[in-house]
């Protein structure tokens, strides 16, 4: 039973982590043109850092998003002197978000999410069969 | 129960179920970490051959039951076997196939255990 619940917790952590990643991707796509943020400056692409979780004996406990870091790659500079956020030279810095890349990540995230959902289904199946031994 | 202490089949099935249960947990861990860089896949040691060795050893049935019950499926971490460019060691297609395998094997073992228990029940009821 212990093993079963651990398995379900692991798969649930996978669902949570990949949903968080999908949230970040949604935020990236939504802010692909955002030139102004509360921290100042244009929006920067947000990256999820996945980390394996273990107990004190090294047994696996799933996965988590350990950190969300901004992508430090160069911002896109576009000459738009009429834009309110244009600098002195007339250039506007746009977020370093490539929508195509985000879509690729989104597919990877949703596939991983599905895989974890399948694990939960399989674990439930096995648990049911094990309980079925009692009815023999 | 004295009968169960001599039942090698029962002990082997129970141990096999235990091993598959651990295996499924490790595969769950692999799948949860499909996007974790530097993660190395986990699996169990070669349990079936250890079980075969224990079953084919000489000795009384009680001794063999003891040997089977002493078996433990160990967790092993894959060597430097990287599948992806970002150093992730998990091939999700393979893990899904392995997951299906453990599910089918667990189902088989639990069915066989049920049959075994059914046999005992029939004997207890004097064949009725």
């Amino acid at each position: 039973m212990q093993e079963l619940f651990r398995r379900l917790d692991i798969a649930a952590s996978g669902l949570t982590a990949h949903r968080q990643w999908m949230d970040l991707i949604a935020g990236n796509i939504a802010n692909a043109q955002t030139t102004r943020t509360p921290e100042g400056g244009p929006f920067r692409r947000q990256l999820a850092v996945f980390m394996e979780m273990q107990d004190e004996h090294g047994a696996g406990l799933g996965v988590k998003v350990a950190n969300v870091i901004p992508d430090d790659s160069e911002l896109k500079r576009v000459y738009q002197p009429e834009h309110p956020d244009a600098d002195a030279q007339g250039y506007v810095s746009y977020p370093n978000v490539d929508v195509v890349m985000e879509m690729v990540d989104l597919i990877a995230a949703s596939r991983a999410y599905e895989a974890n959902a399948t694990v939960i289904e399989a674990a439930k199946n096995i648990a049911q069969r094990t309980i079925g031994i009692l009815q023999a | 129960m004295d009968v169960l202490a001599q039942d090698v089949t029962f002990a082997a099935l129970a141990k096999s179920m235990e091993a598959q249960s651990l295996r499924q947990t490790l595969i769950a861990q692999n799948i949860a970490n499909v996007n974790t860089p530097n993660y190395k896949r986990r699996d169990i040691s070669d349990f079936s051959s250890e079980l075969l060795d224990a079953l084919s050893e000489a000795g009384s049935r009680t001794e063999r039951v003891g040997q089977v019950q002493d078996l433990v499926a160990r967790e092993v971490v894959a060597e430097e076997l990287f599948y992806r460019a970002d150093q992730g060691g998990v091939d999700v297609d393979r893990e899904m196939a392995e997951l299906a395998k453990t599910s089918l094997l667990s189902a088989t073992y639990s069915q066989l255990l049920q049959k075994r228990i059914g046999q005992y029940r029939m004997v207890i009821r004097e064949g009725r």
Side-chain angles (χ1 to χ4, degrees), chain A residues 45-130:
Chain A
R45 176 180 182 226
Q46 302 288 302
L47 294 169
V49 180
F50 286 89
M51 196 181 92
E52 187 199 1
M53 288 196 291
Q54 289 181 343
D55 68 6
E56 60 271 29
H57 308 296
L61 291 177
V63 67
K64 69 171 177 181
V65 174
N67 208 352
V68 176
I69 51 167
D71 183 349
D72 280 334
S73 65
E74 222 175 305
L75 297 166
K76 275 178 276 183
R77 279 167 60 78
V78 181
Y79 185 66
Q80 268 180 336
E82 73 286 357
H83 196 288
D85 286 327
D87 61 12
Q89 285 81 43
Y91 281 94
V92 182
S93 292
Y94 278 101
N96 50 358
V97 175
D98 180 350
V99 177
V100 176
M101 228 148 98
E102 297 303 323
M103 295 313 277
V104 172
D105 279 355
L106 188 61
I107 292 169
S110 69
R111 284 284 174 274
Y113 188 89
E114 280 170 31
N116 280 287
T118 309
V119 171
I120 292 186
E121 206 53 53
K124 257 169 44 188
N125 238 319
I126 290 306
Q128 229 121 46
R129 284 186 183 279
T130 312

Side-chain angles (χ1 to χ4, degrees), chain A residues 3 7 18 52 54 62 136, chain B residues 21 24-25 29 32 35 42 121:
Chain A
E3 200 66 29
R7 191 175 316 151
H18 285 97
E52 187 199 1
Q54 289 181 343
Chain B
S21 175
Q24 207 185 36
T25 304
Q29 175 77 354
N35 285 307
R42 314 277 180 82
R121 180 153 297 163

Side-chain angles (χ1 to χ4, degrees), chain B residues 6-92:
Chain B
Q6 289 188 26
D7 192 341
V8 184
T9 311
F10 201 92
L13 283 173
K15 273 286 159 186
S16 301
M17 273 193 82
E18 210 179 289
Q20 289 307 319
S21 175
L22 174 65
R23 180 138 206 269
Q24 207 185 36
T25 304
L26 298 180
I27 291 169
Q29 175 77 354
N30 292 341
I31 292 175
N33 283 285
V34 63
N35 285 307
T36 309
N38 296 314
Y39 177 82
K40 290 176 190 149
R41 83 179 291 271
R42 314 277 180 82
D43 210 327
I44 57 168
S45 49
D46 191 1
F47 183 77
S48 52
S49 65
E50 282 175 39
L51 183 62
L52 264 180
D53 287 347
L55 288 176
S56 54
E57 283 207 32
S60 70
R61 276 202 276 176
T62 318
E63 278 168 15
R64 265 186 291 165
V65 168
Q67 268 155 356
V68 169
Q69 275 169 348
D70 284 343
L71 288 177
V72 194
R74 287 182 318 277
E75 180 179 334
V76 285
V77 181
E79 303 281 306
E80 310 279 311
L81 207 155
F82 295 127
Y83 171 71
R84 287 178 10 175
D86 64 359
Q87 308 281 287
V90 180
D91 174 357
V92 75

Side-chain angles (χ1 to χ4, degrees), chain A residues 6-23:
Chain A
R6 193 179 130 207
R7 191 175 316 151
L8 287 174
D9 288 343
I10 288 171
S13 79
L15 290 178
T16 309
H18 285 97
R19 198 175 30 86
Q20 282 178 344
W21 191 22
M22 280 194 263
D23 291 347

